[in-house]
Amino acid sequence: MSEEFAAGGDSPADAAAEMQAFVDRHGYLSWLGVTVEAVEPGRIVMSVPYEEKLVNPDPDGTPVVHGGIAATLVDTASGFALRTTFEDPAEAALTTTDLNVSYLRPATGDLRAEAEVVRAGGSMGVTEVTVTSERPDDGEEATEVAVGRASYRLFRGETA
């Protein structure tokens, strides 16, 4: 992990703490229990713990996390990863312009998203995200449950 974070020189731990504070103030993200696990320039790792309030009703009794939770992680992790490309990530202005999520298999445990910036230009940014889920029932390691790509309008030096 890089010792430098963006242009401000904050440590990755400081950046993660600042981003976690934003999540904690955000009604929906805090309700989901989103945790910022790691931050590097152009990359972020976030997670959401498994909770019964997040599962779909399933006729066969297997609790499956609602797909919207994975989609939220793709969108949120993308925006946070792109924030790291701004001089002041805490003051970054950006908005989602396109979001694509492909579901690979049901999520049955905690979710973890790793977002990587593909490109962050002057006005547009693109990310790729992998979402994994723990599989507590069978003792297997985490497995990919969704992949996504997001595009964002970046407002560098202007307001959204």
Side-chain angles (χ1 to χ4, degrees):
M1 185 178 297
S2 171
E3 290 303 314
E4 291 293 315
F5 178 76
D10 291 354
S11 74
D14 290 343
E18 288 177 23
M19 290 188 180
Q20 185 64 52
F22 177 88
V23 166
D24 294 343
R25 289 189 307 270
H26 191 283
Y28 178 59
L29 298 178
S30 64
W31 179 80
L32 285 176
V34 172
T35 300
V36 177
E37 294 184 7
V39 179
E40 300 175 34
R43 181 179 178 274
I44 193 161
V45 179
M46 304 178 101
S47 63
V48 170
Y50 174 88
E51 291 189 48
E52 287 197 28
K53 70 182 181 183
L54 306 178
V55 302
N56 282 318
D58 191 2
D60 76 2
T62 304
V64 175
V65 178
H66 188 282
I69 306 307
T72 294
L73 270 174
V74 170
D75 189 25
T76 304
S78 293
F80 278 57
L82 284 163
R83 284 179 174 278
T84 69
T85 69
F86 282 74
E87 186 171 327
D88 183 355
E91 297 298 319
L94 47 99
T95 188
T96 309
T97 59
D98 186 55
L99 180 68
N100 178 281
V101 180
S102 296
Y103 299 96
L104 307 175
R105 61 186 50 86
T108 57
D110 296 347
L111 295 175
R112 185 173 190 263
E114 295 187 38
E116 299 265 348
V117 172
V118 174
R119 183 176 191 286
S123 63
M124 290 298 297
V126 177
T127 62
E128 290 183 341
V129 184
T130 301
V131 180
T132 58
S133 178
E134 294 180 356
R135 300 182 65 166
D137 296 342
D138 59 15
E140 297 274 328
E141 290 186 24
T143 186
E144 287 186 359
V145 295
V147 292
R149 179 176 276 236
S151 300
Y152 273 73
R153 168 71 165 95
L154 309 177
F155 299 92
R156 296 190 188 274
E158 54 187 297
T159 57

